[in-house]
Amino acid sequence: ITKVMENKYDEGAALQQQVVDEMKNRLGSDHIWTLFSMEQLAHTKRLQEKFDEAELLQSQVRDGFQHLGSDHIDSIRILDAIALTKLESGKLEEALCMQEQTLELKKRIYRKDSPALLASMAAIARSKRQQGMFKVAEELYKAVLEARRKSTGEDSPITLVAMADLAAVYYDQGRFYEAKDLYELILSKREAQLGKDHIYTLVSVASLASTFREVGVFEKAEEMQQRLLCSKQGTFGLEHE
């Protein structure tokens, strides 16, 4: 796990494979600890972009969890993981189908404002957005944002992420002034909480730079761009939210 956290995915995967093999030999393929170790290996395979290998492992884990029941937290978690792997490998329709299945399962065991349920709603919204279904995504993002505001407050980091998601789907629809208003609000809050040079603050700056260009406020766009260039982080890896 430490190797994976250090982004040494090849070394981490090799060590995790050894653990899986040892668990299978000592405990058997269906033992819960074997399945957990396979789940960790699958996560690393996904980070390596070895999606077929990751999905195969995750499917084996899902089969191993069947005795727990479909609405058990471990069964739901592995469905979430499979959906993410499918999404990242470009299987958008399959991913969306699984995300919607997971959401229905979560509705049985979680309250409406639970983080797990809201995370599923946001994931479905992202999938809908990737498929160009912007209005559907917008309504989901609005529901997530409203729930986040009520449960964690207007200024919490996770609420700001929800705001950024909504701003992005406004941007996708060409509703640049609505996107701008949200991005400006997010930037002011992140500056206050994190400082002007924090990476999340700079992501908001990059988003605003793009949005100012779209509404023809080129001086402001240039100001934001210069701020990025002069920042300690530089512009490497910064993209529109």
Side-chain angles (χ1 to χ4, degrees):
I1 295 175
T2 301
K3 293 292 186 183
V4 173
M5 291 176 67
E6 293 173 351
N7 295 332
K8 297 179 179 179
Y9 299 139
D10 291 340
E11 293 177 58
L15 290 171
Q16 287 172 330
Q17 184 65 65
Q18 290 178 22
V19 172
V20 169
D21 293 341
E22 186 68 18
M23 290 284 192
K24 285 181 176 179
N25 288 333
R26 292 192 177 193
L27 302 174
S29 297
D30 293 331
H31 192 280
I32 192 68
W33 291 111
T34 304
L35 296 172
F36 285 154
S37 65
M38 291 169 65
E39 190 176 355
Q40 290 176 347
L41 175 59
H43 174 71
T44 304
K45 293 289 187 181
R46 182 179 63 78
L47 294 175
Q48 291 177 298
E49 299 186 354
K50 295 181 178 180
F51 300 120
D52 289 341
E53 294 179 46
E55 191 173 337
L56 177 60
L57 281 164
Q58 289 166 338
S59 296
Q60 292 170 350
V61 174
R62 180 184 59 185
D63 291 344
F65 284 162
Q66 279 187 344
H67 69 282
L68 299 174
S70 61
D71 56 355
H72 189 277
I73 188 170
D74 290 332
S75 299
I76 294 173
R77 186 183 66 252
I78 196 62
L79 283 180
D80 268 335
I82 295 172
L84 181 57
T85 300
K86 286 182 179 292
L87 184 65
E88 292 185 355
S89 63
K91 300 176 183 177
L92 298 182
E93 291 186 7
E94 291 181 47
L96 180 57
C97 181
M98 190 159 284
Q99 287 170 334
E100 290 175 336
Q101 178 185 350
T102 304
L103 178 60
E104 291 307 311
L105 290 170
K106 287 181 179 179
K107 286 179 178 179
R108 297 181 192 175
I109 61 175
Y110 294 114
R111 64 182 190 274
K112 290 183 178 180
D113 61 348
S114 74
L117 195 61
L118 296 177
S120 278
M121 291 173 63
I124 291 172
R126 281 191 291 275
S127 295
K128 295 286 189 182
R129 182 186 169 204
Q130 284 185 261
Q131 292 180 313
M133 301 170 69
F134 300 129
K135 291 302 295 184
V136 178
E138 179 186 337
E139 292 308 311
L140 283 166
Y141 281 140
K142 283 180 176 177
V144 171
L145 177 56
E146 182 181 359
R148 294 291 192 200
R149 280 171 163 156
K150 289 179 179 177
S151 61
T152 63
E154 177 77 14
D155 296 333
S156 76
I158 200 163
T159 300
L160 298 184
V161 170
M163 281 186 196
D165 286 337
L166 181 57
V169 83
Y170 284 154
Y171 186 98
D172 290 338
Q173 296 174 84
R175 294 158 61 182
F176 301 119
Y177 285 100
E178 290 170 270
K180 178 184 73 67
D181 290 345
L182 276 178
Y183 282 139
E184 287 179 323
L185 179 60
I186 295 164
L187 178 59
S188 67
K189 291 180 181 297
R190 283 180 171 167
E191 285 177 334
Q193 294 173 7
L194 304 171
K196 292 189 174 183
D197 284 325
H198 192 280
I199 187 67
Y200 290 164
T201 304
L202 296 176
V203 168
S204 294
V205 172
S207 298
L208 259 180
S210 298
T211 309
F212 279 133
R213 279 195 296 271
E214 293 293 346
V215 298
V217 185
F218 299 114
E219 289 184 7
K220 276 286 189 180
E222 180 64 23
E223 178 186 324
M224 294 289 136
Q225 195 62 43
Q226 285 299 316
R227 178 172 167 180
L228 290 174
L229 291 171
C230 295
S231 71
K232 295 177 182 177
Q233 298 281 357
T235 58
F236 179 77
L238 290 179
E239 298 179 357
H240 190 283
E241 290 183 89

